[in-house]
Structures are given as structure tokens and as C-alpha cells.
Amino acid sequence: MVQEREIMFKDSGYANFLIHDIILPCLVYIMGIIFLIVVSILKLSPWNVIEIFNNGKYDLSVLESKFPNTFVIVCEVLLVMLICYLIVRRINKNNEFHRNGTGYLKWPFWVLTLVGKLLGYNSINTVNIPIWLQFKIYKSSWWHTRSLDQINIETVEDRVTIEFKNAKNSSDVVNVILVDTYPILGKIPETILTRYDTLIVKRELTSPGNRTFNKYFVDKSIAEINKLYKCSYESMNIFLSTNPFHTKRIVKGAFRMNGRERHMGVSVFQSIGEKHIYCEPHRIIK
């Protein structure tokens, strides 16, 4: 974990993301804190400062005599922070979080959302974000993906195959493998493949690695996954190599509403290591 963080901070793309998307907007909050410190040293209050800038037109300091001192201080701090938030939100209104897609962004979803919202972002670029985190972003109502919606992507109609393999022993878990931009069947541990029933939706790409849009692949993936909700399975393991355009539509079509016929747990497996083995599960729906 320590080594992973060291690599992350040495990455110039990640450093660029921190500077432009986080540190620069945070300067507004820092200025607000400095303002509070200065007025405290000068034994003024934000009410006095507002009164000075309005040439005494509004005598707001009278509020201090009507409320306890602690309450007034809390209100002053909240007022300044609210003003800072509104300024930051106005600045980032048309910007995307992780706008350049530089640096591999692997944060817990709640941290990503908290930081993004405090800095006034409503949209996020999902390039260089792990697939399990993309799932949570597309599934959430907190985030838009403006850049993904605006990109024109080539549409193709290559062949799609569907296969279902039954495990030797029955289980309440089912594997779902969506093969899109590159083959992944050889990268999933055999113990997982043989232990559970497995649904495979495979796109027969003539040029692996190319990111193109195939509506039939998306529609069949959604339809086959939704069929599983009618079965007796309690949990679903997801393995996929889908491009962001397909991932977003599949999530919205099959996972945005928690449960169709009934509730089912969902885990998305992330590929890790130099060989990109799918052995790191992340619980998306509990």
C-alpha cells in the first residue's frame, strides 16, 4: 500500500490533477480562513467588515448584542465558509473533476464525492478511474459525466455471442463476464470460474483494444443480466473489459435500480498486477 502511494505521487499526471482540480480551488477556502484569522487578530468580526465596505449603511454588528458570543462566532465562520463554497462552485460550474483524466484515481467513492462536491464539481471524467469506481459513479445520482456524453464515438455492429456455463455444484452466486475491448477469460482465477455458474457475453472484435460503440452488445448485456434477477441467485460477481461508453449504459440499464424482481448483491472484480488478474473484489451493491 505504501509503495502504491509513492508511485501515485511520483506520477506527474496525478500531481497535475491534484494541483489543478484540488489545490487551486482549495485556495479560496484558505483565503477565507486567512480572512477569519485577520479579523480575529484585529478584533473585528465579519459583520464589522461588511459594515465598513457598505459605508455604515447596514449596522450588522447590532446582531452581536442579541446573541451569545459563541453562537455569533459559529455563524461568522459558517458565513465565510458558505461564501467560499459559493465562489468555488461558481468557478467550477463548467469544469469536470479529474478533467484531463491524468493520473490513476483510486479513491473510496465517499471521499471522491465529498471532495468533489466541496470543490463545487457536478461532473467527473472517468478516464483512468478503476472499473469498480466507475460502476459507483454511473450508479450514483451525485455525479454527471459530461465529457463522456459529449464525445462522438464510432458505432460498429460486430458479432456478439452469449454463453452460459453451469457449475458442478449449485450455488447462490453467479459470475457475469462481459468481454468487450480485450479478452479476459484467461485472466480470471479458475477457482472462481469453476465454483459458480457463469454467464459470458462476448463481443467478437476484429481489432481488440479499439473503443467503439456496439448497441447490440449493450442491449444483450442488460437483458441477460436482468434475467438473472429472476433466478434464485443471491449474489453476482462481475468481470468486464467494457469501455466507459458501454459500462455507463450497462450500469444504468441493469444496476441503477437496486433489484428488479428482488435484491441481489453485486461485486465488481478489478484486475491488478502486471498480468492484470481479476482477483480484487469490490462490493457495489450489498
Side-chain angles (χ1 to χ4, degrees):
M1 182 65 71
V2 174
Q3 184 180 3
E4 181 179 317
R5 289 179 181 175
E6 289 178 354
I7 293 173
M8 186 179 291
F9 283 102
K10 287 178 182 177
D11 180 8
S12 59
Y14 188 78
N16 184 63
F17 156 69
L18 289 177
I19 292 170
H20 290 90
D21 289 31
I22 295 180
I23 295 176
L24 289 180
C26 278
L27 290 178
V28 176
Y29 286 104
I30 293 172
M31 290 173 63
I33 293 171
I34 292 173
F35 169 77
L36 287 170
I37 293 172
V38 170
V39 297
S40 176
I41 292 173
L42 297 176
K43 295 184 178 180
L44 294 172
S45 73
W47 314 117
N48 300 131
V49 176
I50 294 173
E51 183 182 348
I52 292 170
F53 276 98
N54 285 280
N55 298 317
K57 184 177 180 181
Y58 304 107
D59 186 12
L60 297 175
S61 60
V62 71
L63 293 174
E64 295 185 343
S65 61
K66 294 185 177 181
F67 297 97
N69 188 50
T70 304
F71 176 78
V72 172
I73 293 173
V74 171
C75 288
E76 291 171 350
V77 172
L78 291 177
L79 172 65
V80 172
M81 291 298 102
L82 175 61
I83 293 172
C84 291
Y85 170 74
L86 293 175
I87 293 172
V88 169
R89 186 174 180 180
R90 184 175 181 83
I91 293 172
N92 286 326
K93 180 175 65 174
N94 297 317
N95 293 331
E96 275 200 313
F97 195 48
H98 198 230
R99 70 193 77 176
N100 296 319
T102 54
Y104 190 63
L105 189 57
K106 186 181 178 182
W107 293 2
F109 177 74
W110 70 269
V111 173
L112 182 77
T113 302
L114 179 63
V115 173
K117 293 306 175 181
L118 284 176
L119 297 180
Y121 295 101
N122 289 316
S123 183
I124 186 170
N125 184 353
T126 53
V127 173
N128 268 336
I129 288 181
I131 195 72
W132 63 268
L133 190 51
Q134 288 185 40
F135 249 73
K136 289 195 172 186
I137 290 170
Y138 300 143
K139 186 175 177 295
S140 169
S141 59
W142 286 94
W143 287 107
H144 299 289
T145 50
R146 195 183 308 122
S147 60
L148 193 61
D149 298 333
Q150 293 173 350
I151 294 176
N152 291 322
I153 185 172
E154 180 186 358
T155 299
V156 296
E157 296 181 359
D158 32 31
R159 184 167 172 262
V160 176
T161 61
I162 299 169
E163 184 180 3
F164 193 88
K165 296 181 178 181
N166 290 303
K168 292 182 179 180
N169 301 315
S170 60
S171 173
D172 60 358
V173 180
V174 61
N175 296 323
V176 175
I177 303 175
L178 306 180
V179 185
D180 183 10
T181 54
Y182 53 86
I184 61 173
L185 288 173
K187 299 179 181 297
I188 301 171
E190 192 68 22
T191 52
I192 299 177
L193 286 177
T194 56
R195 187 183 303 169
Y196 309 120
D197 293 346
T198 301
L199 167 68
I200 304 172
V201 182
K202 185 179 180 182
R203 185 181 175 194
E204 302 290 347
L205 278 177
T206 54
S207 301
N210 290 340
R211 294 187 174 186
T212 52
F213 180 70
N214 186 317
K215 186 177 185 299
Y216 184 69
F217 173 78
V218 173
D219 290 345
K220 292 305 292 182
S221 296
I222 293 172
E224 293 299 320
I225 291 171
N226 283 335
K227 287 180 183 178
L228 297 176
Y229 282 99
K230 299 179 180 179
C231 300
S232 60
Y233 302 112
E234 297 295 330
S235 184
M236 188 185 304
N237 294 329
I238 309 290
F239 307 85
L240 64 169
S241 62
T242 49
N243 65 54
F245 306 95
H246 288 167
T247 306
K248 180 178 180 178
R249 286 161 176 79
I250 291 169
V251 170
K252 288 184 177 295
F255 302 104
R256 187 70 180 268
M257 300 299 291
N258 286 356
R260 303 294 175 162
E261 302 298 323
R262 56 186 179 76
H263 178 80
M264 186 185 296
V266 176
S267 295
V268 174
F269 279 69
Q270 179 68 36
S271 63
I272 60 173
E274 294 181 358
K275 295 183 178 180
H276 300 286
I277 303 300
Y278 285 79
C279 58
E280 185 182 271
H282 294 266
R283 198 70 165 174
I284 305 302
I285 301 175
K286 297 182 179 180

